[in-house]
Amino acid sequence: MRRRSTTARSLIILSLLPLLLASMVVLTPAAPVASATEEAEANTEANSEADADGNDKADGSEDAGNNGGAAGDQASDPTGQSPQEPPYTAAPLPTAQIDGVAWGQLVVGDVVYVVGSFQNARPAGAPKGQQEVPRSNILAYDLNTGELIEDFAPTLNGAGRSLAVSQDGKTLYVAGEFDKVDDEWHSRMAAFDISQGHGTLISSFSPVFSTTVKDIAVAGDTLYAGGYFTTVNGQQRGRVAALKASTGELTDWAPSVEGPNAQVYAIEVSPDRSKVVIGGSFSSVNGSNQPGYGMALLSASGGELLPMPVNDTVRTAGEHAAIFDIAVDDDGFYGTAYSSVGRLDEANLEGSFKADWNGNLVWLEPCHGDTYGIAPTKEMVYTVGHAHSCETIYGFPNMPEVRKDGSHPLYVRAMAFTNSPDITIRSQGVVDGYQDWSTSGYKSPTIVGWYPDLEAGKVTGMSQAAYKVDVTDKYVLMVGEFIEADGKVQQGIVRYPRRENQRTQPPEGNADTLAAKAEVTTSGSVKVSFTATWDRDDPTLTYSLYRDDETTPVATEKIGDTRWALGSHSLEDTGCPAGEHTYRLVVSDPSGNTITAQTSSVKVSKDAKNAQAAKDADKQAGQDGNDQANNADQADGSDKDGENN
């Protein structure tokens, strides 16, 4: 290594020493103001550290004062909500309504068939009792317009529960609690010819079930049924049966479903038609309760019980609990669960799950609160129910919300998740009566920021909203007993469109909830602090700060705070001239919906601006001095190198 002469460098530094000393004084302001980004990062770190401490205390594995452990945890904590934009809006479209509860729906082409317990239908927006037309437990509406189809008006003398369509799309099957259709005897099941119109009753199709059929599914010329019945066409069948779809004749397929409250709520067939999956409140199938407790995977040909490892994990059944809904796709089957038991030996899940066609668990979503319906796509899964805590997957905890009649516990009536095992379930948020899924490292999907607003109804006495959800390439469709959607009258039926060229929901809140406040900093800039808000169908919002009447923002930031973790933030106007100013904080979503908050006026003094300008000049001078010293050093080194060569 060659040594460099320091003579030239020392002379330069000595000549610049007065300037360097002056600059050091102004490079340390008494009260530095952090940028909005820095404050957001600090808040995120603080929240993550608090979460980590909470986990440590709950687990008992770390001392609360062990900051090293907390710092390691916070770096890997999920945010609780995916940043991806939901494919569908949470803004409901005008759709035909009913005066009761809807239990099932089915899309056939551009027609949506709906069954339930209702006596009348009415147009979108019409209050109950106005503009009603008779529809007895079944109706059809246009998928794209939402308008009631006038030439389909059969009468069921009891509730409709489920619908299915034949493989060729020409026959519509209806099941439920009725025993007459248009005054013809059809005991809990009927068929309609839809090949030449919206539906003509097929009188010759008339199987006889002893009592309620709750769900049906068609595969080829076989129609599978599940419910509460014990005989079909005069022959014994234990809550499940298979018929010839063309004639209604009973087949030999006869699994046995047992238990003190043995009912089959859901039945579906695998895409390759080789397997039938059932869910319900039953406690055993073909004499087995593992698998067979609340769910079973059956051979479609012989009815034999097939392996189902997911049933070793999800154990929900009994008199007050059940697997409520089943959905299927090429990758596997999905189930939802409800429970009012509070005993883990009887029911351990209220959320949803996915399993592959070998019965192996893929992911488990353990939000607290009954889940009724589920509809998957390749990337997303949509559920309905009344989730009130998803804290174990870093989502919302038990918290209040304010509705029209006052403050209530938060019940999220419809949600979306990624269709993938993204998050390791944690113990934080587990309370008495709920399973701690964290002990086995189970994985959950991530919450997606899509939160339609439904007002619960009281038709059933259970104060619920939606019971069934389905998804098409254009819409998410829901039915149930809700009475409002997005604060407007919309009873029992609702549609939500894909977001392309459609209005989305605006950010929640108003100027008061933003609580924007402007203050002059010691450096002469203006900082506007505020509380972030959230949006029902946009996870990230843009916050723009405008000075006076200017149309170009002086500061902008994108913020993705969730409903359950709204933080304090600030934006700063660093180029504000001296004088009196007001500020507008505009929050916008990607569709252009906005809310605006106006601040009180603030006065920026000339002295503060002059002082800041002097500091900036001194800082620049100090930097220039450093640059000169560095340049001289480089020149000196270069010369010496030349001398030594």
Side-chain angles (χ1 to χ4, degrees), residues 35-366:
S35 69
T37 301
E38 289 168 339
E39 288 195 358
E41 290 173 351
N43 288 333
T44 300
E45 290 175 1
N47 290 337
S48 297
E49 188 169 353
D51 286 346
D53 288 344
N55 277 329
D56 293 340
K57 293 172 185 176
D59 295 341
S61 58
E62 294 283 352
D63 185 85
N66 188 344
N67 293 327
D73 288 345
Q74 70 189 28
S76 59
D77 274 358
T79 61
Q81 178 175 281
S82 170
Q84 71 184 97
E85 188 177 75
Y88 299 85
T89 79
L93 295 173
T95 309
Q97 306 177 71
I98 55 173
D99 61 354
V101 56
W103 293 112
Q105 63 183 343
L106 180 70
V107 180
V108 182
D110 290 331
V111 178
V112 185
Y113 294 92
V114 178
V115 291
S117 181
F118 50 87
Q119 296 304 313
N120 296 285
R122 63 188 191 274
K128 187 175 181 179
Q130 297 184 19
Q131 302 180 59
E132 291 184 339
V133 295
R135 286 296 185 276
S136 184
N137 302 317
I138 187 170
L139 61 75
Y141 72 87
D142 187 285
L143 174 65
N144 297 306
T145 67
E147 294 179 357
L148 186 71
I149 290 174
E150 296 183 0
D151 64 354
F152 182 76
T155 61
L156 310 181
N157 71 341
R161 284 283 183 168
S162 180
L163 299 131
V165 66
S166 61
Q167 296 289 316
D168 61 8
K170 295 181 179 181
T171 305
L172 175 73
Y173 300 94
V174 182
E177 302 170 21
F178 55 87
D179 56 23
K180 280 188 177 182
V181 181
D182 292 341
D183 290 327
E184 289 186 14
W185 290 103
H186 290 272
S187 182
R188 284 83 186 192
M189 187 177 290
F192 294 85
D193 181 356
I194 57 174
S195 63
Q196 301 298 321
H198 294 116
T200 302
L201 181 64
I202 301 173
S203 297
S204 60
F205 185 89
S206 189
V208 177
F209 289 80
S210 59
T211 189
T212 304
V213 177
K214 289 202 168 181
D215 199 16
I216 52 177
V218 176
D221 191 37
T222 304
L223 190 157
Y224 296 92
Y228 194 49
F229 54 85
T230 55
T231 66
V232 181
N233 294 349
Q235 299 185 47
Q236 287 190 342
R237 287 294 185 272
R239 274 77 179 194
V240 289
L243 312 173
K244 287 187 177 181
S246 54
T247 64
E249 296 177 69
L250 191 65
T251 73
D252 294 334
W253 194 79
S256 179
V257 176
E258 300 96 10
N261 180 35
Q263 298 188 57
V264 173
Y265 284 83
I267 188 166
E268 292 290 345
V269 184
S270 63
D272 67 2
R273 303 182 188 176
S274 68
K275 299 174 182 178
V276 176
V277 58
I278 61 173
S281 56
F282 50 87
S283 54
S284 68
V285 176
N286 293 349
S288 170
N289 65 8
Q290 196 165 347
Y293 191 81
M295 66 175 92
L297 198 57
L298 302 165
S299 165
S301 56
E304 299 87 3
L305 196 63
L306 302 175
M308 195 184 208
V310 64
N311 200 206
D312 296 339
T313 302
V314 177
R315 308 283 293 172
T316 296
E319 295 193 39
H320 304 287
I323 301 299
F324 199 82
D325 191 25
I326 297 287
V328 300
D329 62 17
D330 290 339
D331 296 326
F333 59 91
Y334 306 74
T336 66
Y338 86 89
S339 171
S340 58
V341 177
R343 288 178 47 197
L344 297 181
D345 61 337
E346 189 169 342
N348 65 2
L349 181 68
E350 286 188 340
S352 61
F353 67 88
K354 177 183 179 179
D356 64 27
W357 281 114
N358 291 318
N360 298 304
L361 181 68
V362 175
W363 54 251
L364 185 146
E365 174 267 295

Side-chain angles (χ1 to χ4, degrees), residues 237-572:
R237 287 294 185 272
R239 274 77 179 194
V240 289
L243 312 173
K244 287 187 177 181
S246 54
T247 64
E249 296 177 69
L250 191 65
T251 73
D252 294 334
W253 194 79
S256 179
V257 176
E258 300 96 10
N261 180 35
Q263 298 188 57
V264 173
Y265 284 83
I267 188 166
E268 292 290 345
V269 184
S270 63
D272 67 2
R273 303 182 188 176
S274 68
K275 299 174 182 178
V276 176
V277 58
I278 61 173
S281 56
F282 50 87
S283 54
S284 68
V285 176
N286 293 349
S288 170
N289 65 8
Q290 196 165 347
Y293 191 81
M295 66 175 92
L297 198 57
L298 302 165
S299 165
S301 56
E304 299 87 3
L305 196 63
L306 302 175
M308 195 184 208
V310 64
N311 200 206
D312 296 339
T313 302
V314 177
R315 308 283 293 172
T316 296
E319 295 193 39
H320 304 287
I323 301 299
F324 199 82
D325 191 25
I326 297 287
V328 300
D329 62 17
D330 290 339
D331 296 326
F333 59 91
Y334 306 74
T336 66
Y338 86 89
S339 171
S340 58
V341 177
R343 288 178 47 197
L344 297 181
D345 61 337
E346 189 169 342
N348 65 2
L349 181 68
E350 286 188 340
S352 61
F353 67 88
K354 177 183 179 179
D356 64 27
W357 281 114
N358 291 318
N360 298 304
L361 181 68
V362 175
W363 54 251
L364 185 146
E365 174 267 295
C367 291
H368 299 171
D370 297 343
T371 306
Y372 300 124
I374 189 165
T377 68
K378 196 71 175 176
E379 295 80 22
M380 306 271 288
V381 175
Y382 300 85
T383 65
V384 292
H386 64 256
H388 55 81
S389 173
C390 292
E391 194 173 4
T392 59
I393 56 172
Y394 301 86
F396 51 89
N398 288 311
M399 58 187 289
E401 70 166 340
V402 178
R403 302 197 70 84
K404 290 180 179 179
D405 57 348
S407 182
H408 299 275
L410 172 66
Y411 289 110
V412 180
R413 306 291 182 172
M415 295 184 69
F417 300 86
T418 58
N419 192 352
S420 52
D422 303 327
I423 297 173
T424 301
I425 301 170
R426 63 177 179 171
S427 61
Q428 185 169 322
V430 177
V431 297
D432 289 345
Y434 289 94
Q435 179 79 21
D436 185 354
W437 298 103
S438 70
T439 58
S440 299
Y442 291 114
K443 294 281 190 176
S444 169
T446 304
I447 297 170
V448 176
W450 184 76
Y451 308 101
D453 183 19
L454 297 174
E455 183 69 26
K458 302 185 184 302
V459 174
T460 65
M462 297 188 295
S463 296
Q464 301 302 324
Y467 290 114
K468 187 73 174 176
V469 57
D470 289 280
V471 59
T472 74
D473 59 347
K474 293 182 179 180
Y475 305 96
V476 174
L477 311 171
M478 300 181 197
V479 295
E481 63 173 319
F482 50 87
I483 56 175
E484 290 183 356
D486 192 31
K488 304 176 184 64
V489 175
Q490 185 63 51
Q491 187 170 359
I493 307 171
V494 70
R495 299 174 301 147
Y496 297 92
R498 272 199 172 271
R499 63 189 304 125
E500 292 84 0
N501 302 316
Q502 295 287 340
R503 73 179 184 93
T504 62
Q505 293 288 50
E508 292 288 307
N510 51 38
D512 292 337
T513 56
L514 291 173
K517 181 181 179 182
E519 59 180 340
V520 180
T521 70
T522 56
S523 64
S525 64
V526 176
K527 181 175 74 171
V528 175
S529 58
F530 57 91
T531 301
T533 187
W534 63 286
D535 192 295
R536 290 187 177 275
D537 49 18
D538 287 298
T540 303
L541 300 173
T542 300
Y543 294 72
S544 301
L545 185 64
Y546 295 84
R547 182 198 312 137
D548 301 326
D549 295 327
E550 296 177 7
T551 57
T552 301
V554 296
T556 299
E557 184 177 1
K558 292 184 181 296
I559 298 175
D561 283 7
T562 60
R563 179 180 190 175
W564 57 93
L566 298 176
S568 297
H569 301 265
S570 64
L571 292 173
E572 191 167 356

Side-chain angles (χ1 to χ4, degrees), residues 4-16 628-637 640:
R4 296 179 178 177
S5 171
T6 60
T7 304
R9 180 181 180 184
S10 299
L11 290 173
I12 293 171
I13 292 175
L14 287 172
S15 68
L16 294 173
Q628 290 181 40
N630 290 333
N631 291 337
D633 183 43
Q634 292 173 7
D636 176 55
K640 289 301 177 181

